[in-house]
Amino acid sequence: MEEKRFDLRTAQEADAQKKYILTEEEKKSSRFGKLVFEFPQERNEIVAQGDPEDYVVKPQAYFRGAMQIPGSQFNQSYQIFVKPFFLDRIQHRHKTDEFLVFLGASFPNVFDFDAKIEFTLGKGEEAETYVITKPTIIRIPAGEYHCPLHFKEVNKPVLFLATLFTPMFGGIYDLPDGKTMEMYYNGPVQCKYDANKKCNACGKCLQEDWHNT
Ligand SMILES: [Zn+2]
C-alpha cells in the first residue's frame, strides 16, 4: 500500500479568502479576529518598598488571559529585569500549575546568563530554596506553596516569564488568622466594558465566549 505523507518541504502556504489587518473594525467583521490580540504596552505600577523603580525594562508585555482573548485558560508575563529586585515576597498557591522561566535577555543568545535568583518551593519544614544561576524553567504544581522569589544579582538582563493556567492572574494566600484569601490581579489595564474604569478583576469578561459575543 502506498503511504501518503505530507511533505513539509514542498507544502504551500494556505490561501485564505481574506486578509485581515488588526483594527477593531476588521476584527468585528472577521470570524477569528478575537483570537488574534496585539500586546498593549504596559508599565509596572507596583514597586515594593526599598526597591528601585527601574528594575524592569519599560514597557513590558503581558498576556492578561481571557479578558484579552476570550476563553483563554492561561496568562503570561514577559519582563526583562535589569536590576536586583525582590519580586514576590509572600508565599501563596494556585489552583493550577504555574511555570516560571528564566532566560538571558542579551539577545539573541538566551544562554548568555549572569544572574543569581532565589526561589522557594514548599512551606515550613518542607521548604526548599533553589538558587538559579543558569537558564531555567520551574514547574509549580497546582496547590503547592511557593515564593519568595528574589532576583538577588542581575549582572546581565534576565527575561522572566510567569505562566499560570487560569483565565486571570491570581493566587490563594494564607492569612494570619488561619483563613485563606483568593486575590486576583489583571494589571493596570482599563475595564473591558467601561473605558473610564480601571480593571478591578471582577471577572465578568471571563465568561465571554470567543465566537458568539
Ligand atoms: Zn505563584
Side-chain angles (χ1 to χ4, degrees), residues 88 92-94 98 100 119 140 146-147 164 169-171 173:
D88 214 337
H92 59 272
R93 297 166 286 160
H94 304 283
E98 182 177 38
L100 305 182
F119 176 67
I140 304 156
H146 56 283
C147 282
L164 181 63
F169 184 73
Y173 292 81

Side-chain angles (χ1 to χ4, degrees), residues 161-180:
L161 279 78
T163 304
L164 181 63
F165 295 96
T166 54
M168 186 186 287
F169 184 73
I172 305 163
Y173 292 81
D174 289 351
L175 300 174
D177 64 4
K179 291 185 181 140
T180 59

Side-chain angles (χ1 to χ4, degrees), residues 64-66 75 164 166-170 184-186 199 201-203 205-206:
R64 298 290 180 188
N75 60 82
L164 181 63
T166 54
M168 186 186 287
F169 184 73
Y184 290 89
Y185 178 68
N186 217 12
C199 172
C202 79
C205 53
L206 307 187

